[in-house]
Amino acid sequence: MAGLTDPFGLLRDAITSAEQFGRSLLGQERIRLAVTGLTRAGKTVFLTSLVANLLAAGQGRRSLPALEVAAGGRLRDVRVVPAGVQNLPRFNVTAHLAALATDPPAWPGRTEDLSTLELTLTVERRSWLGAVLGNRSVILELLDYPGEWLLDLPMLRQDYAEWSAATLRRLRSGPRAEAARDFLAFVDALPVNVPAEEALARRGFALYRDALRTCRDRLGFRFLQPGHVLNPGPRGETPIQWFFPLPHPDAEGLAALLARRYAAYVAEQRENFFQPFFSRFHRQAVLVDVLGALHAGQAAFEDTAEALAAIAEALRYGNSWLDWLTGGRVDRVAFVATKADHVPTRQRDALVALLGSLVAAPQERAAGAGAETFVHALASIRCTEDDVATLEGRPVAAVRGVLLDTGRVAKVYPGEVPLRPPEPAYWSHGFFEMPEFQPPRLDPRGASGVPHLGLDSLLAWLIGDLL
């Protein structure tokens, strides 16, 4: 099995940890917060709300009351760090807030590339040293990226043969088999040592790409690899991505060509994405669209659980002596159910319990590496209010909001959220529905913050102790 050990990466980690330790002594700490999650979990909306509400809190608005309490009321200012000479796109919070300020308001567009943003948090010191050294300056570093790319992370631990076997096993099971019918027929008909013809490789790749798109867009699946096939980024498709799983991955000819492309792709993702950005974070939030998975049905729900377990197995939590000494490690991980405003208040505890069941293995993995874990539910941008509807002559807890497709106000009874993964009978009746709501119209400057549900509690747990 291909490993993750990189001696040069370990050296870079040691240098970064030492730098962090030195900055803390000077009152110039850096907090690297990794916001990860599967596609359509709401990372861009989450980061937009986080930035807007932190900026408002820095101006004295009570946009994040729980974080204010955790920080002891000592947050004095928050500003976006001006752009320097970075070679990465900036997270465009201004454009995202502008979308929410249109008439009618629109949700921010899907993330198509990696982007970063840094905020400077000015915090009054707790002790008498404040009179001597002044306020502390804490840099909060944030990262946004397409959710599809996260599913490449487990590939770093697999060679081509292992990946092919696992991928074909998933494609041959349940609803995926029909979605991938043409692709499976194609690869099953190939001779074992079929020659490495480019036309054949391109044909197989196109069929595989179409199968993945159908699994994502029609069936609601998330465990789909490689991520750049579904979201290639601004460069578009490149030859390094033109590979697909084979039943005989150790053969000659075409199999050898695809194995080389797979190895090159994994090496590039390790060097240019995961190693620079995912190996040196201090705190982590893993966003999960539990309600969307519940609505998509049993197969999609189980696929989400499998994807989360695979990601957690591959994520790196520092535990070297230098990590422990300097604090340069992921020591707090929050698993977060998004879109919690799509169910009424009385069902949100059940949503947290259901997510807890889904991420039991990831929690154990993080705890085993010495990281604290937290399960939470939130709405990054709240777009509903609690209400009461009538169902078969009896009142039921519901939510009220503006439907995205019609623009009309509606009461919605979404159904009951189970406390744990549902029994088979649950799925046969389609008990849960998941409407799309329009976001509230906001001030484009975000000066007053963004209405949310539970974002302040999450941030208080994630970074409050560091402030």
Side-chain angles (χ1 to χ4, degrees):
M1 179 179 291
L4 290 175
T5 302
D6 173 6
F8 295 104
L10 294 175
L11 177 59
R12 287 192 295 267
D13 289 351
I15 293 171
T16 301
S17 294
E19 176 193 5
Q20 173 72 9
F21 185 55
R23 284 179 175 274
S24 67
L25 293 177
L26 298 173
Q28 298 176 343
E29 298 100 319
R30 176 177 291 270
I31 304 172
R32 291 185 170 93
L33 174 61
V35 180
T36 61
L38 304 181
T39 181
R40 299 179 182 175
K43 292 184 301 301
T44 299
V45 174
F46 174 86
L47 287 170
T48 299
S49 180
L50 182 154
V51 172
N53 282 304
L54 275 174
L55 291 172
Q59 299 304 310
R61 306 296 178 91
R62 296 211 68 217
S63 55
L64 298 168
L67 180 63
E68 180 182 337
V69 171
R74 293 174 296 102
L75 183 63
R76 294 292 172 258
D77 190 32
V78 179
R79 297 182 185 274
V80 175
V81 176
V85 294
Q86 300 94 332
N87 61 353
L88 290 174
R90 300 249 297 172
F91 180 74
N92 197 343
V93 66
T94 302
H96 297 324
L97 288 173
L100 292 164
T102 58
D103 189 13
W107 291 105
R110 291 182 58 191
T111 301
E112 300 294 337
D113 194 11
L114 182 72
S115 65
T116 62
L117 191 71
E118 294 181 350
L119 302 175
T120 299
L121 283 61
T122 301
V123 183
E124 183 181 311
R125 292 182 185 271
R126 293 180 184 270
S127 67
W128 58 269
L129 286 174
V132 178
L133 300 177
N135 293 331
R136 295 164 55 218
S137 178
V138 180
I139 301 295
L140 180 62
E141 181 180 331
L142 304 167
L143 174 71
D144 187 34
Y145 62 93
E148 292 92 345
W149 295 3
L150 184 61
L151 267 303
D152 289 348
L153 185 58
M155 296 171 66
L156 273 62
R157 292 179 175 268
Q158 297 174 306
D159 60 23
Y160 176 66
E162 292 169 325
W163 175 78
S164 286
T167 302
L168 288 175
R169 174 186 57 78
R170 288 193 298 272
L171 286 179
R172 296 186 194 279
S173 66
R176 296 181 189 84
E178 176 60 26
R181 180 183 56 187
D182 292 344
F183 169 72
L184 292 173
F186 172 81
V187 295
D188 288 340
L190 290 174
V192 173
N193 289 310
V194 64
E197 297 176 2
E198 187 59 31
L200 203 61
R202 292 298 303 276
R203 171 64 175 160
F205 171 76
L207 289 170
Y208 182 61
R209 179 190 58 204
D210 292 346
L212 294 187
R213 287 174 175 171
T214 301
C215 287
R216 180 190 66 183
D217 299 336
R218 184 163 62 84
L219 302 178
F221 286 97
R222 297 292 178 262
F223 201 165
L224 305 169
Q225 300 168 321
H228 280 74
V229 168
L230 292 169
N231 192 335
R235 292 187 300 173
E237 288 181 359
T238 57
I240 199 174
Q241 302 166 21
W242 296 343
F243 62 87
F244 49 90
L246 286 175
H248 304 285
D250 294 320
E252 301 297 326
L254 180 63
L257 170 64
L258 300 186
R260 289 196 301 272
R261 286 179 176 170
Y262 175 90
Y265 177 87
V266 168
E268 182 185 60
Q269 298 313 304
R270 177 185 286 111
E271 180 178 352
N272 296 326
F273 182 43
F274 292 112
Q275 186 63 42
F277 301 107
F278 276 90
S279 63
R280 295 188 295 275
F281 279 97
H282 309 120
R283 301 291 165 91
Q284 188 173 82
V286 182
L287 308 187
V288 188
D289 182 8
V290 180
L291 297 176
L294 195 66
H295 172 66
Q298 182 177 5
F301 187 84
E302 292 173 351
D303 174 82
T304 297
E306 186 178 3
L308 286 169
I311 291 166
E313 181 65 26
L315 285 170
R316 174 177 174 268
Y317 303 100
N319 56 9
S320 73
W321 67 270
L322 190 60
D323 291 328
W324 283 102
L325 178 63
T326 64
R329 58 187 301 273
V330 175
D331 56 5
R332 288 195 179 185
V333 184
F335 297 95
V336 185
T338 56
K339 307 174 187 177
D341 61 333
H342 284 50
V343 296
T345 301
R346 62 174 292 272
Q347 292 202 50
R348 289 171 197 151
D349 287 344
L351 178 58
V352 172
L354 180 60
L355 176 59
S357 297
L358 270 179
V359 300
Q363 278 190 285
E364 184 177 351
R365 163 81 171 87
E372 296 180 63
T373 62
F374 179 52
V375 180
H376 188 59
L378 63 70
S380 302
I381 298 178
R382 184 169 187 170
C383 50
T384 72
E385 297 292 337
D386 280 12
D387 209 325
V388 177
T390 302
L391 179 67
E392 298 179 350
R394 61 185 179 86
V396 293
V399 293
R400 183 183 71 255
V402 179
L403 297 178
L404 188 64
D405 56 350
T406 65
R408 67 179 181 86
V409 177
K411 293 182 185 180
V412 175
Y413 169 66
E416 297 297 313
V417 177
L419 291 167
R420 58 187 60 86
E423 298 295 328
Y426 179 94
W427 303 109
S428 63
H429 295 285
F431 283 140
F432 193 83
E433 64 174 306
M434 181 75 170
E436 289 189 88
F437 290 104
Q438 190 180 100
R441 191 177 182 190
L442 303 177
D443 178 346
R445 298 167 299 171
S448 299
V450 173
H452 62 84
L453 181 69
L455 176 64
D456 58 329
S457 300
L458 175 65
L459 289 178
W461 186 83
L462 278 171
I463 66 172
D465 63 309
L466 300 177
L467 301 181

